[in-house]
């Protein structure tokens, strides 16, 4: 089966970014040896691996903030429809979530947690894909406005919600623990899985909607 | 064979109307010239046809079906434009590979021959090429891609005279080998006059001309002679433009006239070339 054009190109670019990241991290780790000569070789390798796997997770999540518009242009130039481009994006999200989780598995060896970790990674990347596709609709001016104003508005809203919760909702310890588990993607309850799946579906739907409205910008 | 129908398409950017209720049909196997002055909306129209932008109203149909999210339509249309559609650090050979992955059956043999003839290194990065060589790399991709409707927006941007001649020659060769529709949007009208079968002139947000080029040129005239005589002869005709040198006046008319009847011993009636016809039609000066 021929891999979709946009998917293949995005994986190549992420791969390139990972190679750069690995080279930089190895360089930094070797540099830090100058100041921490008491560390064993095993410790160094383990620390490097932990840093790499965590950074890879962050790279895959934040990478989707910036690639959507270039994916759109590449797909459009080469005979793809918006639906096909979005399917490539969806394949990319799944692939990167799987790769990241497999790396975490080799690091932690905890099969039970990897399922939740996969859902957590998928939640993060799909959210960034939705935001990235939304950003791709905006002109440069509106990107600045939304990019700066958006997080500030979100923080203000979160503070307001927390204030109301403290004032009007007096939950039990069990409820608080459950909420903390949901927000930090810990535990393996069925409800946690359901919330994750619902969130992922909503984000994928939003990213799809944004892709269907994407156009070539003048700026 | 498939056609592309543009039906009552209007495009606005904010309050600014670029295209106003335009309608035309692009048929299979023809070479079209899409002409218009700077800012007329040619690139906008090409972007709409290739589903890169949405029309404000109206529809564009490929073989009777809307082009939006239509894989069959997308696979048959290729637009080469000035806009950079590739990620940074893309090499020339990667343009070809991407077109092959997207459309299938890319003619790599022809592409290699053309890169040699035009003097482009396939391993060079498109970002590092000059304007002319970037255009050539995109043109080669357009000539080798497997699609039945090829849209070329400013295909001669940055090209020197020698490269332009090579391009026109290769365009004709590929057209003879595999007839398909080419739509050329260019300002170098005199150079493409002999290539174009059908002319579409976009002016003042609408199609001022949409007819075979032979038909258009058959009714495009320059009437020259002594000023008084020319004024008398052309009194009832819609004059699109004129100029005077001394006592000799030349007026431009684009409509069927009896040239033999108008011509006298001192007044000549000649056919215009496509460029002069275009200028006369779009200059907007009617007397």
């Amino acid at each position: 089966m021929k891999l979709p054009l946009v998917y293949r190109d995005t994986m190549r670019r992420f791969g390139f970014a990972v190679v750069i990241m690995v080279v930089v991290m190895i360089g930094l780790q070797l540099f830090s040896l100058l100041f921490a000569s008491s560390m064993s070789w095993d410790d160094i390798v383990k620390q490097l691996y932990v840093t790499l796997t965590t950074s890879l997770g962050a790279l895959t999540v934040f990478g989707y903030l910036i690639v959507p518009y270039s994916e759109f242009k590449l797909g459009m130039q080469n005979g793809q429809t918006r639906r096909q481009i979005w399917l490539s994006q969806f394949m990319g999200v799944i692939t990167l979530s799987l790769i990241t989780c497999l790396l975490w598995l080799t690091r932690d060896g905890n099969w039970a947690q990897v399922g939740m970790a996969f859902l957590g990674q998928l939640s993060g990347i799909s959210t960034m894909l939705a935001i990235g596709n939304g950003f791709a609709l905006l002109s440069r001016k509106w990107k600045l406005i939304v990019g700066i104003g958006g997080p500030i508005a979100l923080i203000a809203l979160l503070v307001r919600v927390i204030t109301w919760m403290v004032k009007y909702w007096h939950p039990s310890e069990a409820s608080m623990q459950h909420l903390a588990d949901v927000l930090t993607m810990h535990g393996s309850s069925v409800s946690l899985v359901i919330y994750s799946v619902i969130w992922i579906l909503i984000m994928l739907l939003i990213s799809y909607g944004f892709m269907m409205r994407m156009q070539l910008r003048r700026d | 064979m498939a056609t592309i129908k543009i039906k009552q398409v209007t495009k606005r950017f904010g309050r600014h109307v670029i295209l106003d209720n335009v309608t035309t049909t692009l048929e299979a196997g023809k070479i079209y010239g899409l002409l218009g002055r700077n800012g007329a909306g040619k690139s906008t129209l090409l972007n709409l046809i290739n589903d890169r932008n949405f029309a404000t109203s109206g529809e564009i149909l490929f073989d009777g079906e809307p082009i939006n999210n239509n894989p069959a339509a997308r696979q048959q249309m290729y637009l080469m434009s000035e806009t950079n559609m590739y990620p940074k650090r893309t090499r020339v050979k990667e343009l070809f590979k991407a077109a092959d992955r997207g459309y299938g059956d890319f003619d790599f043999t022809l592409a290699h021959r053309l890169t040699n003839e035009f003097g482009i290194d396939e391993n060079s990065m498109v970002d590092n090429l000059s304007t002319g060589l970037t255009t050539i790399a995109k043109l080669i991709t357009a000539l080798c891609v497997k699609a039945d409707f090829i849209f070329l927006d400013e295909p001669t941007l940055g090209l020197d005279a020698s490269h332009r001649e090579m391009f026109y020659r290769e365009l004709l060769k590929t057209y003879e080998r595999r007839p398909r529709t080419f739509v050329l949007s260019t300002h170098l009208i005199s150079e493409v006059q002999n290539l174009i079968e059908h002319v579409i002139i976009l002016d003042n947000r609408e199609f001022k001309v949409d007819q075979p080029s032979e038909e258009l040129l058959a009714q495009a005239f320059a009437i020259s002679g002594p000023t008084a005589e020319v004024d008398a002869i052309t009194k009832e005709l819609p004059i699109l433009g004129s100029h005077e040198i001394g006592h000799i006046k030349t007026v431009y008319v684009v409509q069927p006239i009896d040239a033999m009847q108008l011509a006298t011993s001192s007044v000549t009636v000649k056919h215009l070339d496509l460029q002069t016809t275009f200028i006369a039609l779009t200059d907007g000066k009617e007397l």
Side-chain angles (χ1 to χ4, degrees):
Chain A
M1 188 187 84
K2 227 175 175 181
L3 285 172
L5 163 77
V6 170
Y7 167 76
R8 193 181 169 128
D9 182 78
T10 303
M11 292 303 103
R12 189 174 60 89
R13 287 203 276 165
F14 269 111
F16 191 63
V18 167
V19 166
I20 293 175
M21 195 176 72
V22 166
V23 167
V24 167
M25 293 220 163
I26 289 173
L28 285 173
Q29 201 71 18
L30 290 173
F31 182 71
S32 71
L33 273 179
L34 295 171
F35 307 100
S37 52
S38 59
M39 285 177 77
S40 70
W41 182 246
D42 274 347
D43 286 338
I44 292 165
V45 171
K46 196 175 178 182
Q47 194 175 334
L48 183 65
Y49 199 68
V50 167
T51 314
L52 273 173
T53 48
T54 310
S55 303
L56 180 64
L59 175 74
T60 53
V61 165
F62 288 103
Y64 269 106
L65 275 181
I66 55 175
V67 300
Y69 187 58
S70 60
E71 287 179 326
F72 168 74
K73 287 195 296 180
L74 181 68
M76 276 289 144
Q77 180 62 55
N78 292 290
Q80 310 282 291
T81 63
R82 285 175 178 76
R83 199 167 286 135
Q84 286 169 327
I85 295 167
W86 181 83
L87 279 171
S88 282
Q89 289 182 324
F90 176 66
M91 280 175 64
V93 165
I94 300 290
T95 303
L96 291 173
S97 300
L98 274 172
I99 290 172
T100 315
C101 285
L102 283 172
L103 283 173
W104 284 345
L105 170 67
T106 56
R107 187 187 73 186
D108 295 339
N110 189 344
W111 280 99
Q113 285 301 315
V114 162
M116 284 313 302
F118 174 72
L119 281 179
Q121 186 71 4
L122 199 51
S123 302
I125 299 181
S126 59
T127 305
M128 288 303 158
L129 178 63
I131 296 172
N133 277 6
F135 254 45
L137 299 179
L138 303 175
S139 64
R140 224 166 258 169
K141 181 180 87 173
W142 277 100
K143 268 197 183 67
L144 274 173
I145 293 169
V146 170
I148 295 170
I152 294 171
L154 187 66
I155 290 167
L157 180 68
L158 276 173
V159 166
R160 178 63 57 176
V161 165
I162 291 166
T163 312
W164 282 336
M165 279 172 66
V166 166
K167 198 172 175 184
Y168 299 112
W169 182 42
H170 303 287
S172 65
E173 199 178 314
S175 299
M176 287 300 291
Q177 185 59 50
H178 185 69
L179 183 63
D181 285 345
V182 169
L183 290 174
T184 57
M185 298 295 299
H186 277 103
S188 55
S189 65
V190 171
S191 55
L192 202 56
V193 172
I194 292 171
Y195 296 147
S196 304
V197 168
I198 290 171
W199 179 262
I200 290 163
L201 286 174
I202 291 171
M203 288 301 112
L204 289 175
L205 208 63
I206 290 172
S207 67
Y208 180 82
F210 284 150
M211 175 53 73
M212 291 303 114
R213 298 308 307 161
M214 211 173 286
Q215 301 187 71
L216 200 64
R217 293 196 311 258
R218 291 183 121 182
D219 57 358
Chain B
M1 296 185 86
T3 58
I4 296 175
K5 285 192 169 70
I6 297 152
K7 290 170 82 170
Q8 295 172 302
V9 163
T10 295
K11 177 63 181 174
R12 274 191 209 98
F13 286 108
R15 279 185 286 184
H16 187 43
V17 178
I18 308 291
L19 299 168
D20 190 6
N21 206 31
V22 296
T23 296
T24 191
T25 300
L26 300 175
E27 289 167 14
K30 272 190 180 169
I31 301 181
Y32 289 82
L34 176 61
L35 312 177
R37 300 192 67 171
N38 294 329
K42 302 183 296 297
S43 298
T44 300
L45 177 64
L46 293 178
N47 282 334
L48 293 180
I49 295 170
N50 284 270
D51 203 20
R52 293 182 183 187
N53 291 101
F54 301 122
T56 308
S57 64
E59 54 181 358
I60 298 172
L61 305 172
F62 177 84
D63 218 10
E65 297 293 325
I67 53 160
N68 190 237
N69 268 324
N70 183 342
R74 297 294 297 120
Q75 285 291 286
Q76 291 307 323
M77 299 200 280
Y78 185 88
L79 170 60
M80 171 246 149
S81 71
E82 192 194 353
T83 310
N84 185 18
M85 301 291 280
Y86 294 91
K88 287 193 186 328
R89 303 174 58 80
T90 298
R91 295 182 192 275
V92 172
K93 62 184 178 186
E94 284 161 359
L95 300 189
F96 304 159
K97 285 181 186 164
D100 182 52
R101 279 189 211 114
Y103 290 90
D105 289 334
F106 185 80
D107 192 343
F108 283 100
T109 310
L110 177 60
H112 295 324
R113 178 174 74 74
L114 290 176
T115 49
N116 272 334
E117 286 189 16
F118 280 101
I120 289 188
D121 178 6
E122 288 186 26
N123 285 315
S124 44
M125 289 194 192
V126 178
D127 296 336
N128 294 341
L129 296 176
S130 66
T131 306
L133 290 180
T134 303
T135 302
I136 289 167
K138 291 179 183 177
L139 277 177
I140 293 172
T141 313
L143 293 177
C144 300
V145 79
K146 188 193 163 209
D148 284 336
F149 289 84
I150 309 290
F151 300 87
L152 304 173
D153 191 2
E154 296 295 350
T156 54
L157 188 69
L159 263 61
D160 59 43
S162 171
H163 279 161
R164 291 201 303 271
E165 279 304 310
M166 282 171 69
F167 159 62
Y168 299 138
R169 210 169 42 238
E170 292 300 333
L171 175 68
L172 278 176
K173 271 189 198 168
T174 185
Y175 179 75
E176 280 164 16
R177 200 170 47 239
R178 187 164 95 82
R180 49 207 157 126
T181 303
F182 283 93
V183 178
L184 274 69
S185 172
T186 178
H187 290 297
L188 300 180
I189 300 170
S190 54
E191 292 189 0
V192 299
Q193 172 166 332
N194 293 330
L195 289 174
I196 291 171
E197 296 173 68
H198 191 107
V199 178
I200 299 174
I201 296 179
L202 187 51
D203 186 51
N204 212 20
R205 299 179 292 276
E206 48 190 33
F207 292 146
K208 198 148 199 171
V209 167
D210 182 6
Q211 61 190 129
S213 51
E214 260 186 37
E215 219 175 271
L216 173 66
L217 295 177
Q219 58 191 35
F221 298 95
I223 304 170
S224 297
T227 303
E229 277 194 60
V230 168
D231 284 341
I233 287 168
T234 59
K235 197 166 50 180
E236 308 291 328
L237 296 174
I239 309 294
L240 293 178
S242 67
H243 68 266
E244 264 185 85
I245 301 174
H247 300 295
I248 302 297
K249 186 173 186 176
T250 303
V251 301
Y252 303 116
V253 171
V254 181
Q255 73 160 49
I257 58 172
D258 189 340
M260 301 282 281
Q261 199 178 13
L262 285 178
T264 66
S265 56
S266 49
V267 172
T268 59
V269 181
K270 287 184 187 165
H271 281 289
L272 294 175
D273 60 28
L274 185 58
Q275 179 156 300
T276 314
T277 306
F278 169 79
I279 294 170
L281 284 167
T282 59
D283 220 3
K285 293 188 188 114
E286 200 164 305
L287 303 174

